[in-house]
Amino acid sequence: MSNHQFFGVDFYKTDELLNERERSMRDTAHAFVTGEVLPIIKNHHREGTFPTELISKMGELGFFGANLQGYGCLSINNIEYGLIMQELERGDSSIRSFASVQSALGMFPIFAFGSEEQKEHWLPLLRDGKAISCFGLTEPDHGSDPANMKTKAIKTKNGFVLSGEKTWITNGDIADIAVVWAKLNGEIRGFLVPKGTAGFTATRIEGKFSLRASITSSLSFSECVIPEKNILPGTILPPGKKGLISALKCLNQARYGIAWGAVGAAMACYHAALDYAKTREQFGKPIASRQLVQEKLVAMLSAITNAQLKCIRLGQLKDAGSVTPTQISLAKRDNVAMALDCARTARDILGAAGITDGHPIIRHLLNLESVKTYEGTHDIHTLILGKEITGIDAF
Ligand code: TGC
Ligand code: FAD
């Protein structure tokens, strides 16, 4: 019997929809977050540092690339993978971000588009947390419209010369390997750029008030020479195609994980608000006894329950191989908006106490502002869905 009811939100008994393996994986991730993340995350958030000592622990638990088949990965289903993301983000979005980037944006492109040599070399290292990856798509002048990127690759006799700038790159300056998207003869292709390559520099972005426990960097490529074997061969497009399709396939993986992760952040805020409301007395009674406060708690419970059900169905569709990118967009968009609303409501229930990091809520709230923006902003997902249902491109 899982002890989920003591730490999660399970009003609709979604636990009963999970099989034993799924519950067990969720409980493993839960124990990791409770034991290893929650005791230290406040200080990392204060200091603006990432808890690097957790990387090998997450590797040992098999969290990285856990839903990929082969190469020693756990090869679990997508609901198990989603539950890991939920639990990691219950701790902090920065921990889920690290795992998302490593799994969906570092390992997945190598798995899906890499040569056998690239897979054999990088996947075991990344799986175990012995190497760190990053994903360079966004540029200073091209965030929501990465298809217009300026970063270029020029073919030389023995390889490629990369030039351009990427920014807002999670793990950028601690990564051993960067998956970099650049135009080669006008086509967007993926390239592997190892740390230390001449002409490649990564610079930390300071002064963030959101995702403070996550490392974010700018990447610069100046006459950066990489060997021929470092192109991701599978990113070649069918004749006549020019788009971002390979990069977008990676984003689908990461957006899926975010949809689950947001539920974890919302659960953490809900529990903090519920506990506080039951013990905080004003006008001689616990504030939880007031109708206005109950209405806020119920709104959170309702929103979390909706999001949970959406995630489970999305996971089933993904496991069946029939999920569409727009179904993933809907879940990323709605669940992050839901979590941000819950965090704001929970912050309000705590009054002044809600603005301090003595409670997890303000940290989640600030983090979720980034989560709303990255992996396609809320509004970009609205436009993706608008195009799906009307057939009209409104970007
Ligand atoms: P568009 O012309 O619409 O489509 C080009 C081709 O791609 C197909 N397609 C997709 N395929 C797979 N998955 C998807 N999600 C797809 N979306 C579109 C499409 O059908 C088409 O195929 P075909 O056969 O017709 O040629 O492409 P576009 O270049 O105009 O893209 C439009 C748009 C807005 C959807 C895209 O640019 C977009 O998603 N923009 C948002 C940018 C974004 O999400 N950036 C994320 C950067 S990485 C990040 O934020 C990591 S945070 C990590 C962390 O710390 O957790
Ligand atoms: P812009 O594209 O400039 O958008 C600004 C505003 O305009 C938004 O509200 C947007 O919705 C709106 N807008 C844009 N176009 C339209 C339109 N057509 N119609 C209506 N509204 C529009 N990127 C990576 O490649 N790799 C990473 O690892 C990574 N990690 C990140 C980590 C953090 C902490 C953050 C904050 C970002 C990260 N990103 C990463 C970048 C992220 O993907 C971009 O920030 C995001 O895609 C939005 O781009 P932008 O910030 O340039 O905003």
Side-chain angles (χ1 to χ4, degrees), residues 96-97 100-101 105 135 137-138 143-147 170 211 241 243-245 248-249 251-252 255 258 325 374-376 380 384 387 395:
R96 198 272 308 137
S97 262
S100 278
V101 169
L105 301 180
F135 180 89
L137 180 63
T138 304
S144 295
D145 66 339
T170 301
L211 272 181
K241 299 277 181 188
L244 265 181
I245 196 151
L248 288 167
K249 284 182 178 166
L251 297 184
N252 293 337
R255 291 166 178 175
I258 291 173
Y374 67 33
E375 290 286 356
I380 288 298
I384 289 171
K387 181 177 169 189
F395 290 101

Side-chain angles (χ1 to χ4, degrees), residues 151-394:
T151 301
K152 260 197 230 152
I154 294 175
K155 181 82 188 78
T156 60
K157 196 161 160 237
N158 301 317
F160 303 95
V161 180
L162 289 182
S163 50
E165 305 284 329
K166 300 287 175 181
T167 193
W168 297 112
I169 308 305
T170 301
N171 296 342
D173 62 288
I174 58 164
D176 300 288
I177 187 74
V179 174
V180 179
W181 299 90
K183 281 189 178 162
L184 174 66
N185 301 323
E187 281 185 15
I188 297 168
R189 302 291 303 270
F191 298 86
L192 297 181
V193 186
K195 188 177 195 151
T197 303
F200 168 34
T201 49
T203 311
R204 181 111 11 133
I205 296 176
E206 305 286 359
K208 287 183 299 159
F209 279 71
S210 173
L211 272 181
R212 287 185 49 75
S214 173
I215 288 165
T216 319
S217 321
S218 295
L219 312 182
S220 171
F221 305 92
S222 170
E223 297 297 309
C224 173
V225 177
I226 57 166
E228 176 124 36
K229 67 182 171 63
N230 283 22
I231 192 167
L232 289 173
T235 55
I236 192 148
L237 289 165
K241 299 277 181 188
K242 282 207 164 175
L244 265 181
I245 196 151
S246 303
L248 288 167
K249 284 182 178 166
C250 306
L251 297 184
N252 293 337
Q253 307 299 316
R255 291 166 178 175
Y256 172 79
I258 291 173
W260 280 89
V263 176
M267 283 180 182
C269 293
Y270 170 76
H271 276 296
L274 180 60
D275 288 349
Y276 188 86
K278 284 183 186 167
T279 54
R280 173 72 176 169
E281 292 195 359
Q282 289 294 288
F283 300 95
K285 283 187 183 167
I287 59 170
S289 66
R290 307 296 177 177
Q291 291 179 354
L292 288 175
V293 174
Q294 288 191 2
E295 193 277 333
K296 289 173 187 164
L297 292 167
V298 170
M300 292 166 78
L301 173 68
S302 170
I304 292 169
T305 303
N306 291 341
Q308 265 178 316
L309 292 170
K310 195 179 282 161
C311 278
I312 290 176
R313 179 63 185 144
L314 197 69
Q316 289 172 340
L317 291 170
K318 194 162 181 334
D319 280 337
S322 60
V323 75
T324 64
T326 48
Q327 286 166 340
I328 296 174
S329 278
L330 186 79
K332 189 277 179 186
R333 172 189 182 274
D334 289 3
N335 288 8
V336 175
M338 174 286 295
L340 202 44
D341 281 350
C342 280
R344 287 180 181 143
T345 304
R347 210 291 305 149
D348 177 46
I349 290 173
L350 267 73
I355 70 159
T356 73
D357 65 8
H359 300 273
I361 297 168
I362 193 75
R363 177 166 52 76
H364 283 296
L365 200 166
L366 293 169
N367 286 342
L368 287 162
E369 290 291 345
S370 284
V371 182
K372 184 183 180 192
T373 286
Y374 67 33
E375 290 286 356
T377 67
H378 181 91
D379 289 342
I380 288 298
H381 288 294
T382 305
L383 297 177
I384 289 171
L385 289 157
K387 181 177 169 189
E388 167 83 5
I389 58 176
T390 65
I392 303 166
D393 181 335

